[in-house]
Amino acid sequence: MQRTAGAPRVVEDTKEGPVKVFALVTFNEDQALALGKYLEITEPLLKREGARIIERFSLEDDVIGHRPAKSVIIVEYPSRQAVDNVFSSPEYEAAIPYRDVAFATYSVHIAAQ
């Protein structure tokens, strides 16, 4: 898995209210310990920022194109600032080595309405 260098791009929060974030992931099935450590670090971060997982899906069939990941996780954050706080935190930086082992693919995207 390719590791993204440095902190994520921080964008000025111009949207009021909740922000939905889509994580497209494929778990490394044989890396339960790394996944456990990643979640041990990131779950308190989400809670601290008021974020919550609202949906989880498995991607089953491709109609057109290729499947970018095996799962989609939708997380609702109270604001864009909360998203940036999580992904630019020192705690998240410490979780990256575990993330890189726990997931074969991992990308995070902010949805607009």
Side-chain angles (χ1 to χ4, degrees):
M1 175 173 171
Q2 180 178 345
R3 179 179 171 191
T4 305
R9 179 175 59 99
V10 177
V11 176
E12 184 178 327
D13 188 1
T14 59
K15 182 182 185 311
E16 297 289 328
V19 174
K20 288 193 174 93
V21 173
F22 287 68
L24 304 175
V25 303
T26 301
F27 298 98
N28 278 327
E29 301 294 332
D30 61 343
Q31 296 296 331
L33 291 176
L35 179 60
K37 189 66 175 166
Y38 176 80
L39 295 174
E40 179 182 310
I41 295 169
T42 58
E43 286 177 347
L45 284 173
L46 295 177
K47 185 175 182 180
R48 180 179 77 199
E49 293 299 329
R52 63 189 182 94
I53 296 173
I54 58 174
E55 297 268 0
R56 287 186 175 103
F57 299 97
S58 292
L59 299 177
E60 294 181 2
D61 287 321
D62 302 322
V63 178
I64 297 174
H66 71 283
R67 185 174 314 155
K70 289 187 177 180
S71 300
V72 177
I73 301 167
I74 304 172
V75 182
E76 185 176 76
Y77 288 80
S79 67
R80 173 59 195 253
Q81 184 61 53
V83 176
D84 293 338
N85 290 348
V86 167
F87 288 100
S88 64
S89 71
E91 297 95 336
Y92 190 80
E93 182 71 24
I96 291 172
Y98 300 107
R99 180 196 71 193
D100 290 348
V101 173
F103 298 95
T105 60
Y106 183 91
S107 64
V108 176
H109 312 273
I110 294 177
Q113 289 189 336

